[in-house]
Amino acid sequence: AAAGKVAGTDNKANGVAEDAKLHIIDIQDGNGGLRMPNAFSIFQSMHSTGGQPSRIASGSWATAYKAYPFSCRFFDEALHDLYPGDLYVASTGNGGYDENNKVSKMRTVGNPASCKNTLAVGASESHGDRITSGAKGIEYMAAFSSRGPTYDDRMKPDLVAPGASVLTPYAHEYGKTVEVYGTSFSAPTVAGDAALVRQYFTEGHLPCDWKNGCKFDPSGSLVKAVLMNSAAPLKEQVQVARPWLEKKLLEKVNEYDSTQGMGLVQLDSSLPLPGKNRIKAIVKNNKQIADGEIQDIYIQATPGKCANTSYKHDLRVTLAWYDPPGANSCA
């Protein structure tokens, strides 16, 4: 079902990057449990294909909340040192609500979502005909979604996507769909978004006047920056979302907090699409800055000209990078 949210083809439950190629890594052991994969083995497998390597990874699994562990060190080292062109999208986990005391639980984000270089995705509620009885809709955060901050007080999650009452293809029967709940389905939604962003750059859709054309291979951190730049903060509250629980309203969410991070991904607000939006974009890919160096980028903006029109300038700037790995228990 999680893979279906990335690339599935179904009349009612199409994947975000419909019909994309999938590279599946099985982490189930012989006893029916899960064997947590090593980061290097994941990326090595993604690059062992005969043709183009897989570049977007989606992981709908997590270990418990803890100080910066060896597993995060390996993910951060792999993405920073060996696979900077890849992006790992991680579900934050479903431990954000204490059902006994009926309150939110902060500091519950799992690993590898809490790693520095992974993209952590929490769950918002759904919208349209996917809203279930009593649910408030997409401006509300699903209470079960695990929260940050990390053990060393970094903001997590980075983004949110619908994860409550999501319709996905059913893996065991062709043509059947299933309604699901969890950040396990929010993360692959964003991974599908990431695949579309990557395709946008590799196929040369970015308007430019470069001498050698507009096609280029985007870094993982550029794809991450585009997704985070597109996000719109949720404006309402946390709501208990699971159907067997009372739809209780909890605390209000705020911009850039450790409940929603940057907010809800909105791809149509991320990149120029002629005839669809009026976005202009300046993109820097794999731009290196030395220690102590200063680089200036000048942007001419005239928001006053559009103050009384239906079109208003919205200037967004997002800087993203892959950080070197930290010491164990200390990011």
Side-chain angles (χ1 to χ4, degrees), residues 102-142:
K102 299 183 179 179
V103 295
S104 293
K105 293 171 63 179
M106 304 303 289
R107 296 184 181 272
T108 49
V109 60
N111 300 301
S114 69
C115 305
K116 294 190 289 184
N117 295 336
T118 59
L119 185 66
V121 182
S124 67
E125 292 193 350
S126 293
H127 63 100
D129 60 3
R130 295 309 315 149
I131 298 178
T132 57
S133 177
K136 294 288 189 178
I138 202 163
E139 286 287 349
Y140 290 75
M141 188 77 186

Side-chain angles (χ1 to χ4, degrees), residues 180-201:
V180 291
Y181 291 77
T183 60
S184 287
F185 309 99
S186 307
T189 296
V190 174
D193 292 333
L196 295 179
V197 170
R198 182 173 175 79
Q199 182 182 21
Y200 177 93
F201 290 124

Side-chain angles (χ1 to χ4, degrees), residues 25 28 85 99 154 170 174 183 190 196 236 274 276 292 297 304:
I25 300 174
Q28 188 174 38
E99 294 186 14
R154 287 174 289 113
Y170 184 58
Y174 180 79
T183 60
V190 174
L196 295 179
E236 296 298 340
K276 301 292 185 181
I297 299 175

Side-chain angles (χ1 to χ4, degrees), residues 23-277:
H23 180 85
I24 305 296
I25 300 174
D26 186 2
I27 64 171
Q28 188 174 38
D29 63 26
N31 297 319
L34 298 180
R35 180 183 64 255
M36 297 300 102
N38 176 279
F40 291 101
S41 67
I42 292 175
F43 295 113
Q44 287 168 0
S45 177
M46 290 167 57
H47 285 257
S48 67
T49 59
Q52 291 292 323
S54 302
R55 307 307 291 271
I56 310 295
S58 178
S60 292
W61 58 274
T63 59
Y65 178 86
K66 63 176 67 175
Y68 189 78
F70 278 113
S71 59
C72 272
R73 177 178 174 82
F74 295 150
F75 270 98
D76 290 340
E77 183 178 357
L79 288 167
H80 179 269
D81 295 351
L82 300 176
Y83 303 102
D86 296 356
L87 177 66
Y88 189 94
V89 183
S91 60
T92 59
N94 303 318
Y97 182 60
D98 183 338
E99 294 186 14
N100 293 324
N101 296 308
K102 299 183 179 179
V103 295
S104 293
K105 293 171 63 179
M106 304 303 289
R107 296 184 181 272
T108 49
V109 60
N111 300 301
S114 69
C115 305
K116 294 190 289 184
N117 295 336
T118 59
L119 185 66
V121 182
S124 67
E125 292 193 350
S126 293
H127 63 100
D129 60 3
R130 295 309 315 149
I131 298 178
T132 57
S133 177
K136 294 288 189 178
I138 202 163
E139 286 287 349
Y140 290 75
M141 188 77 186
F144 61 74
S145 184
S146 290
R147 326 288 175 78
T150 64
Y151 206 87
D152 55 327
D153 286 330
R154 287 174 289 113
M155 181 190 79
K156 288 286 181 171
D158 299 302
L159 297 166
V160 298
S165 183
V166 176
L167 195 65
T168 70
Y170 184 58
H172 303 289
E173 186 176 335
Y174 180 79
K176 185 177 179 180
T177 58
V178 60
E179 180 181 87
V180 291
Y181 291 77
T183 60
S184 287
F185 309 99
S186 307
T189 296
V190 174
D193 292 333
L196 295 179
V197 170
R198 182 173 175 79
Q199 182 182 21
Y200 177 93
F201 290 124
T202 58
E203 292 185 354
H205 295 293
L206 178 70
C208 72
D209 55 3
W210 303 340
K211 293 181 180 179
N212 297 323
C214 301
K215 296 181 181 180
F216 67 93
D217 187 24
S219 65
S221 55
L222 174 58
V223 176
K224 183 178 182 179
V226 170
L227 293 171
M228 296 179 75
N229 190 267
S230 80
L234 303 183
K235 297 183 174 117
E236 296 298 340
Q237 295 170 260
V238 177
Q239 184 181 28
V240 178
R242 284 176 167 143
W244 59 89
L245 298 173
E246 177 190 357
K247 297 293 193 296
K248 181 180 179 180
L249 289 172
L250 304 174
E251 70 275 6
K252 186 173 177 59
V253 293
N254 298 298
E255 290 185 324
Y256 314 125
D257 65 8
S258 284
T259 295
Q260 64 166 326
M262 301 285 280
L264 182 71
V265 176
Q266 297 186 333
L267 271 191
D268 59 353
S269 299
S270 61
L271 291 167
L273 297 170
K276 301 292 185 181
N277 60 35

